[in-house]
Amino acid sequence: TQSDLDTLEELLLNASGMADKVLYREKVLESKPLGRFIRELIGLDMSAAKEAFSDFLDEGAYTSQQIQFVNQIINYLMSNGTLEIAHIFEPPFTDMHDESVYAYFDDSKVVELLGRIKKINANVATHEEVA
């Protein structure tokens, strides 16, 4: 919750020894909201990452390459916590095919897949990001 994040941020600020909250956010959090900083630091929980895509994969019969591509997204999220949509069109997602997601899925499935990634990214949003 936002209250939990506020409490955690206060504890981290005190532990940092910095008195200036703005400087702390700039230097320690790299000007990111705390929720995003933590997610990027520890990644996304494996079960949460798999659950986010499980019904997508259950919708139809996919090739091994399609499943491998979705698993690559899941692994990236587990390691990095978030995935900016632009990164989907860069390595490592273009290593198997330079067209990235469009090489494996039709337009409607691409929109659905990218929507899931956006939803995962939005889950780290705090009131600071919205304001």
Side-chain angles (χ1 to χ4, degrees):
T1 67
Q2 185 60 44
S3 176
D4 293 333
L5 288 173
D6 291 343
T7 301
L8 179 59
E9 184 173 34
E10 199 61 41
L11 291 169
L12 292 171
L13 174 65
N14 291 337
S16 75
M18 297 177 139
D20 184 352
K21 196 173 209 174
V22 173
L23 182 62
Y24 159 78
R25 287 181 174 168
E26 181 182 307
K27 297 294 183 187
V28 176
L29 301 182
E30 301 170 351
S31 299
K32 298 173 188 169
L34 183 60
R36 181 169 296 278
F37 178 80
I38 291 170
R39 172 78 71 79
E40 290 176 358
L41 188 65
I42 63 170
L44 183 62
D45 176 70
M46 178 174 45
S47 60
K50 288 184 177 192
E51 183 179 324
F53 295 94
S54 65
D55 62 329
F56 177 85
L57 291 172
D58 288 344
E59 289 175 3
Y62 293 105
T63 67
S64 62
Q65 288 179 328
Q66 288 171 314
I67 294 169
Q68 184 178 359
F69 188 83
V70 173
N71 282 333
Q72 188 176 28
I73 292 171
I74 291 169
N75 290 335
Y76 187 94
L77 287 165
M78 287 171 28
S79 295
N80 299 289
T82 61
L83 173 57
E84 296 305 319
I85 296 301
H87 290 349
I88 252 322
F89 302 100
E90 301 171 353
F93 301 102
T94 56
D95 289 350
M96 293 189 314
H97 198 288
D98 61 350
E99 290 184 43
S100 183
V101 67
Y102 287 103
Y104 306 105
F105 299 100
D106 64 32
D107 289 348
S108 66
K109 288 296 182 186
V110 169
V111 169
E112 184 180 348
L113 192 58
L114 297 182
R116 289 169 188 266
I117 294 168
K118 287 178 184 178
K119 185 177 178 182
I120 290 169
N121 291 342
N123 286 340
V124 300
T126 65
H127 296 294
E128 294 173 48
E129 289 178 303
V130 176

